């Protein structure tokens, strides 16, 4: 018998997050280790009357590609990737693999070439999402490798994952709808503000957000969820920020990331570990040194850093920022082949000011009881 939490999760993904309907063309993209969730999502989607493709990744394939591929192969844009963006109406990405470190020894310039080659596809994907022509959702299936990375047993990690998604509640959909309402109030308030000022340890960052939309992340695109975010005006970001937690990119850790911005662009960057990958990512293309996202984590049910940004960026009491492409319909214009999030702790003296008014202190909004 299937774990009933997995059954419950599949129903949440199909009915609420993706809102799969009769006639939808759904792609389920996952590793073979996620088979229990793949089967239950497939079952629910078929019952809805949708058409479903299951695209399964096998362990070791990505490592072989990056180590053996020629430059021509690295920069080749597969027709199937174009097909996916042009034909699927819904895409579900299920994360979780056998070995999170499989790409640790890959040359970062190869990853950069691959990201650059897929830039146009990624931009088209984002544009279709913003227009409502393509629904996408990403989630995590608990695996041994992810549990190890989080310093947990598999059973502990399963409880962590399913708890963060609120599958331990009687009606998870009702819970997420209530969260959506609270976060909507925050977004409406912030959309009336022009300037944001962030202060934390080794951090003093200013940006303009006038006219930009704040997005309420309420378990539609990410499962679990819990954040509000926007895109700063592209040339407005000034100052410096130190990210408290390691940045994770394709299983590689970049530690003690420090970025300095001038007129919206990263002009100085350093890391205590992984400096070469950091600089390679920043040089992906013309848009990769622009801050594409500024976000505030609101999920106080997630308190442990697990080296998985799906959960970590939602931690209540943190902010995160992403270089590269802008997400969804924030009103931003920057385009890039990457979108990479980095996390900063705000619980110990962190402050956020909006138009000079203190709105957030020590990891909590001043005017909202989240």
């Amino acid at each position: 018998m299937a774990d009933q939490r997995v059954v419950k999760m599949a129903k949440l993904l199909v009915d609420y997050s993706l809102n799969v309907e009769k006639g939808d063309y759904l792609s389920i993209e996952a590793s073979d280790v996620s088979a229990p969730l793949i089967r239950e999502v497939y079952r629910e989607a078929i019952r809805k009357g949708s058409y479903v493709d299951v695209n399964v990744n096998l362990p070791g394939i990505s490592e072989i590609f990056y180590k053996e591929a020629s430059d021509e192969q690295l920069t080749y844009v597969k027709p199937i990737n174009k097909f996916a963006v042009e034909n699927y109406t819904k895409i579900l990405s299920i994360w979780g693999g056998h070995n999170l470190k499989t790409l640790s020894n890959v040359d970062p310039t190869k990853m950069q070439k691959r990201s650059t080659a897929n830039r146009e596809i990624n931009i088209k994907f984002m544009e279709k999402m913003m227009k409502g022509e393509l629904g996408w959702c990403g989630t995590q299936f608990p695996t041994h490798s992810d549990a190890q990375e989080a310093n947990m047993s598999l059973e502990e990690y399963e409880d962590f994952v399913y708890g963060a998604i609120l599958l331990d509640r009687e009606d998870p959909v009702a819970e997420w709808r209530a969260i959506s309402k609270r976060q909507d109030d925050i977004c409406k308030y912030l959309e009336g503000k022009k300037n944001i000022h962030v202060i934390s340890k080794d951090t003093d960052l200013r940006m303009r957000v006038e006219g930009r939309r704040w997005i309420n992340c309420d378990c539609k695109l990410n499962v679990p969820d819990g954040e509000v975010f926007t895109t700063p005006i592209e040339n407005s970001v000034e100052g410096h920020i130190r990210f408290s937690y390691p940045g994770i990119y394709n299983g590689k850790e970049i530690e003690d990331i420090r970025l300095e911005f001038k007129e919206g662009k990263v002009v100085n960057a350093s890391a205590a570990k992984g400096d070469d990958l950091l600089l390679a990512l920043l040089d992906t293309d013309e848009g990769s040194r622009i801050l594409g996202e500024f976000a505030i984590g609101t999920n106080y049910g997630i308190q442990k850093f697990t080296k998985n940004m799906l959960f970590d960026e939602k931690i209540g009491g943190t902010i995160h920022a992403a270089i590269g492409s802008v997400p969804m319909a924030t009103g931003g214009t920057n385009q890039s082949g990457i979108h990479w999030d980095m996390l900063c702790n705000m619980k110990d003296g962190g402050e956020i000011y909006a138009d000079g008014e203190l709105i957030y202190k020590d990891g909590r909004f001043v005017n909202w009881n989240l």
Side-chain angles (χ1 to χ4, degrees):
M1 178 182 293
D3 186 329
Q4 290 305 299
R5 295 174 298 182
V6 176
V7 174
K8 214 171 183 179
M9 183 175 176
K11 290 181 178 179
L12 176 71
L13 289 165
V14 172
D15 294 343
Y16 174 76
S17 301
L18 281 170
N19 189 27
V20 175
E21 299 176 329
K22 183 178 180 179
D24 270 329
Y25 189 12
L26 169 68
S27 172
I28 304 173
E29 303 175 349
S31 165
D32 62 334
V33 75
S34 303
L37 182 57
I38 295 172
R39 283 193 290 266
E40 295 306 319
V41 169
Y42 184 84
R43 190 192 315 277
E44 291 297 323
I46 289 295
R47 286 173 175 172
K48 289 286 185 179
S50 66
Y51 307 102
V52 188
D53 283 342
V54 178
N55 299 302
V56 176
N57 298 319
L58 296 178
I61 294 298
S62 294
E63 181 183 13
I64 293 171
F65 175 75
Y66 279 113
K67 288 186 175 180
E68 303 293 340
S70 64
D71 282 351
E72 183 178 1
Q73 289 169 313
L74 285 168
T75 57
Y76 177 67
V77 180
K78 298 178 182 178
I80 193 171
N81 292 344
K82 295 180 181 179
F83 174 90
V85 172
E86 293 171 357
N87 292 275
Y88 288 126
T89 59
K90 305 285 171 66
I91 297 176
L92 174 64
S93 298
I94 303 174
W95 299 306
H98 293 270
N99 182 356
L100 299 180
K101 303 298 184 182
T102 188
L103 300 181
S104 294
N105 295 316
V106 169
D107 182 350
T109 60
K110 290 189 174 183
M111 294 183 181
Q112 178 189 12
K113 288 179 181 178
R114 192 67 180 153
S115 295
T116 302
N118 285 308
R119 180 176 183 272
E120 296 302 320
I121 291 289
N122 291 334
I123 290 171
K124 188 171 184 179
F125 174 81
M126 295 294 292
E127 288 176 345
K128 291 198 70 172
M129 282 184 63
M130 286 190 288
K131 294 177 182 177
E133 299 172 356
L134 173 62
W136 174 84
C137 179
T139 192
Q140 175 74 42
F141 183 75
T143 69
H144 283 287
S145 59
D146 289 284
Q148 285 179 320
E149 191 76 352
N151 292 317
M152 300 182 195
S153 69
L154 180 59
E155 183 177 353
E156 289 171 336
Y157 191 65
E158 287 174 339
D159 290 342
F160 168 79
V161 170
Y162 297 139
I165 302 173
L166 305 183
L167 298 177
D168 54 346
R169 310 293 177 87
E170 183 176 347
D171 189 346
V173 172
E175 295 285 346
W176 282 110
R177 284 178 176 154
I179 291 169
S180 178
K181 174 62 173 64
R182 291 200 299 271
Q183 293 185 170
D184 191 53
D185 291 340
I186 295 173
C187 290
K188 287 178 180 177
Y189 173 81
L190 290 172
E191 283 182 3
K193 302 302 179 181
K194 298 179 181 179
N195 300 290
I196 297 293
H197 184 193
V198 180
I199 299 174
S200 188
K201 184 178 180 181
D202 299 319
T203 296
D204 191 333
L205 199 67
R206 297 175 183 269
M207 64 194 75
R208 298 200 315 273
V209 294
E210 183 179 8
R212 293 295 161 91
R213 182 185 174 198
W214 285 81
I215 305 299
N216 173 6
C217 298
D218 55 358
C219 212
K220 293 292 180 67
L221 294 181
N222 284 177
V223 178
D225 222 330
E227 67 174 280
V228 296
F229 71 83
T230 193
T231 298
I233 294 173
E234 283 70 19
N235 64 353
S236 72
V237 183
E238 298 279 349
H240 57 275
I241 183 168
R242 179 186 182 185
F243 295 99
S244 317
Y245 299 93
I248 312 295
Y249 190 83
N250 283 341
K252 290 189 173 186
E253 292 185 35
I254 307 176
E255 295 182 0
D256 195 19
I257 300 170
R258 301 174 187 237
L259 302 180
E260 180 183 354
F261 289 84
K262 186 174 182 180
E263 296 182 351
K265 285 192 174 183
V266 176
V267 293
N268 287 303
S270 67
K273 174 185 175 182
D275 191 71
D276 56 341
L277 178 55
L278 172 63
L279 296 178
L281 291 170
L282 287 169
D283 290 335
T284 297
D285 51 40
E286 291 184 3
S288 54
R289 286 180 175 259
I290 301 292
L291 198 64
E293 176 186 351
F294 171 75
I296 304 169
T298 61
N299 192 329
Y300 292 90
I302 304 174
Q303 286 297 314
K304 181 178 175 58
F305 180 70
T306 61
K307 300 182 183 180
N308 183 334
M309 282 302 286
L310 175 64
F311 300 94
D312 298 339
E313 69 177 5
K314 314 300 191 310
I315 294 173
T318 67
I319 62 168
H320 61 275
I323 54 171
S325 62
V326 301
M328 298 177 55
T330 58
T333 60
N334 189 55
Q335 295 181 340
S336 175
I338 65 167
H339 177 87
W340 181 47
D341 295 289
M342 293 163 281
L343 185 68
C344 180
N345 181 35
M346 297 290 286
K347 296 175 188 175
D348 186 15
E351 296 178 336
I352 301 176
Y353 293 83
D355 291 348
E357 176 190 358
L358 179 66
I359 64 166
Y360 184 99
K361 183 175 177 62
D362 294 328
R364 293 272 182 178
F365 280 97
V366 173
N367 298 322
W368 291 277
N369 181 21
L370 290 175

